[in-house]
Amino acid sequence: MGADTSLRNRFERGLAAPICLTWELTYACNLACTHCLSSSGRRDPDELTTAEAKSLIDEIAAMKIFYINIGGGEPMIRRDFFELVEHAVAQNVGVKFSTNGTRIDAKAARRLARIDYLDIQVSIDGADATTSDRIRGDGSYAAARLAMDHLRDANFGPFKISVVMTRESIEQLDEFETLAKRYGAQLRLTRLRPSGRGVDVWEALHPTPAQNRRLYHWLLERPEVLTGDSFFHLSALGDPLDGLNLCGAGRVVCLVDPVGEVYACPFVIHEEFRAGNVRGGGFAAVWQQSELFRALREPGSAGACASCGSYDACRGGCMAAKFFTGLELTDPDPECVFGHGETALAKKRVTIRPVPSPDHSRRVPVSITSH
């Protein structure tokens, strides 16, 4: 058994603590991105208080979790954002946070640059304003670019530019690469999932099979481009892509939402994948004792993919992509490179799909320039 296989088997059985804990700090957001995985917009009045958030950070530190990945919503909208980030760093917990950039002015950029163990991902969804703003809202691209300028001028260091691969953005791969090089930034590409508001735009925005094949070969030639576990379903095309090549839900990753609910994965914010709440006894108790997580850590069935010789490469694909398109978890990924997912969907004739919950969307987004 090779080292990679042994490590994968260990990951599938679950670890004593997640490698990465994603924490949606708030549902509040001043944008209304059409593919938002958490359907963010309005703040939940029951979100964790500053004291509760600090207690969670202390528990994370005690569990020796390598880092937390903070998102939202727009995390910088929380008034205690800097207080929480600085508390985490003081506890030797690294912080990565994703932002739309609208709150990063020159002063904020200088403060961010003074914090150690901090990684920033600025999100755009097009290499130009026309493409990106169709997804993220008018003025959002300009705001993100201005944030990048401020981070560069503050000597923050190599931040990341994060892009969701849609049918439009995937045609701009080379332009994204050029933009990242211009800032000395690192490019991070993620998969569009039919989660949150993404359910409504999935059919129109998810890449075509031909585009996914081009993306696969483009990534193979650029191992420096980050993907996390976004595209392991494409590994069935040949050589595995860099990153975690399996679904880590409940095994090595999970999500804590703004009110303390713990979900198996950032992309399955749905009651069926809710494992517990940190307010009920702490995060460690949920991670170690949740019946849902125990079930996810059991040896999985290849299901409908058992007869495919590429199952070991793609592991059946993404749980969230299957669930929210109406497929069973033992079905092929809807974007299976051999078309088996499309066949499964056609056979099921799905007319009612699971609805992501909760929905905090606002009807009218707050002005991008408002603070």
Side-chain angles (χ1 to χ4, degrees), residues 176-215:
F176 288 123
E177 184 178 35
T178 298
L179 180 65
K181 288 179 178 177
R182 186 180 306 160
Y183 282 103
Q186 193 165 19
L187 185 60
R188 180 179 183 270
L189 306 183
T190 61
R191 182 183 180 184
L192 174 70
R193 265 102 164 180
S195 307
R197 287 195 292 269
V199 168
D200 297 327
V201 298
W202 165 260
E203 293 293 345
L205 289 184
H206 79 89
T208 66
Q211 287 178 319
N212 272 326
R213 290 190 189 93
R214 290 204 304 273
L215 172 64

Side-chain angles (χ1 to χ4, degrees), residues 76 82 101-114 143 146-156 371:
M76 292 187 73
F82 278 105
T102 57
R103 297 301 178 99
I104 300 181
D105 56 17
K107 181 180 178 181
R110 290 192 295 269
R111 185 170 182 179
L112 292 168
R114 292 194 295 268
L146 185 58
M148 295 179 201
D149 292 342
H150 288 317
L151 290 171
R152 177 198 58 205
D153 295 345
N155 295 314
F156 175 84
H371 282 238

Side-chain angles (χ1 to χ4, degrees), residues 316-337:
C318 173
M319 179 173 72
K322 289 188 260 191
F323 180 73
F324 285 122
T325 52
L327 293 170
E328 302 296 327
L329 300 189
T330 52
D331 282 331
D333 189 290
E335 290 187 293
C336 167
V337 297

